[in-house]
Amino acid sequence: MSPLNLKLWLFILLGASGNAVATDGTTDIAKSYPKQYKTWEATQEQSEREDVLANNPRNVILWAGSSYAKEYHTPRGHQFAVADVSHTLRTGVAPKAVEKGLSASCWTCKTPDAPRLIGELGFEGYAAKNFTDLGTEIKNVVYCSDCHESGSEKLTLPRPHARDAMAKIHQPFEQQSATVQGAQVCGQCHVTYYFRPEKSNVVNIPWIFGNTADDIEKYYDTRRFYEWIHPISKTPMLKARHPEYEHWNRSKHAELGVTCVTCHMPEAIDENGKVFTNHKVDKALPYFKSSCKGCHSSQEKMAQRLTDLKHEINAKAKDVEELLVKAHYEAKAAWGAGATWEQMNDAIMDIRHSQWRWDFAMSSHGIYAHNPEEGKQLLNKAIEQAKSARSSLSKILRQLKVEHVYYPDISSKAKAQQAVGIDEAELVREKKAFIEEEINKHWDPVTQRGY
C-alpha cells in the first residue's frame, strides 16, 4: 500500500472510530495539529528491529516454558504495535474449540480500541475474551486518544489498570502536574504488569507494596503467584515486562523533573517559529540540543558515557545469565536424582528471585540511560542470588552422588530452542497459515502495517 493510500484509509478509519475527530465531529486532528500528526506519522519509519533470542540464545533457556522463548524482538515504532502483536509467534493462533486461548488483555496497550472494548464489555468481560476473538475489532494503532482526551491537548489515562496503579503509589493522575501526568501517560504501557488469573486475566500492575523490584517480588511471593513452571528446573517463574516507568520514577531525571516526554518527545520549532511537541517518539541522543543540553555539556561525552554504561550492564547481565542457565540444569539433575522439595526450596527460590531481578533490569528498554545505578544494583543482587542457588545445588548434588550435569549446546537460537523442545519451523508454519486465512482476510488492514 502506498504512503498516500495508507494516509487516506487512516483518515477514514480514525475518523470513523472517533480518534481523529473530536466528540462534536468537526475537528480533524490532522488539520488541527498538523505538526504533531506529521511527526506521529513518521513512527512508521522506525521499522528496524533485532531478534533478541538470536542475539542472545541464553534467553531461550531462561524463558523456557513461556511464549517469550518462541519469539522476542526489539520494539519498533508505535505504528507497528498492532501488526507486531498480531504476527508474533507469542500470540499464536486461534485456540481449538475445547481450549482456552490467550487473553484479549494482550491488546490492552497496543491500540486505543482496547479502552473502547473495556467500556463495552467491562474490564473482566474484555479480559475473558480470547486474543484472536477480538482481532476483527482492532482498527487503530497507538494514537492520540491513548494519551489525550478526544480532540484536545488535555492528557488522560484511558486504561483502568493505569489509573489504579498510580493510586496505589499515592500519585493519582488527577492530582499531578502536567509534567508528571505526561510521564504517567507513557507509564500506562511502559510498565511491568501481569494478568490476574482470579479476575479473568485483567491487566494488573503489582504495586500494592510499591514499585521497586523488591516490593513487587514481595507482592508476588506473598500471594504465591507465578506465571509458569520452568520445565527444566521446576522453578515457579516471574516475568518482568518493560518497567521503564518504575526505573524512571526513582531516577535523577525524575528528581529534576525530566520525563519521558522531555527526552523522547522533545520540543521542536516549525517553519513559522512556533514550538510544538515532536510526536515521533524516538531515541533521545539525536535530539541532544533540544533534550539534553540544559544539563549535559557535550553530546560526545554523553554518548561515550552511555556506551560505557551499556557495556557494563550487559557484562553483568551476561554473568547472571550464565549462572542461571547452569542453575536451571543443575536443578534438573537434582530432581532427576530424587531430590525433594524440602531439599530444593532454597535453591529454587534463589533461582526465582535472581531471574526476576535480571529480567526487571534487562526487560527495561534503555536502563543504562534511564537509571543505570539501579540496573547495576539489580544485577549485582541477581549474581549473588544465582551463586547462592548454585552453591545450594552443589551440596544437594553431592548428597545425591550426582557426578555429571548435562549442559546442552546453546550457541545459537536454533540449538537453544531445540534444547527446550521448541520447533520454530512448525510454529512459523501454523502462524503463517493463520495470518493468511484469518488476519489477512478478516482483520483490519492496520494489522498489516510494516509487513
Side-chain angles (χ1 to χ4, degrees), residues 358-372:
W358 162 81
D359 212 352
F360 197 78
M362 302 312 291
S363 287
S364 181
H365 307 308
I367 191 171
Y368 59 91
H370 297 152
N371 197 334

Side-chain angles (χ1 to χ4, degrees), residues 3 47 68 82 156 246 254 257 317 331 337:
S47 60
Y68 285 85
V82 170
T156 186
E246 292 94 324

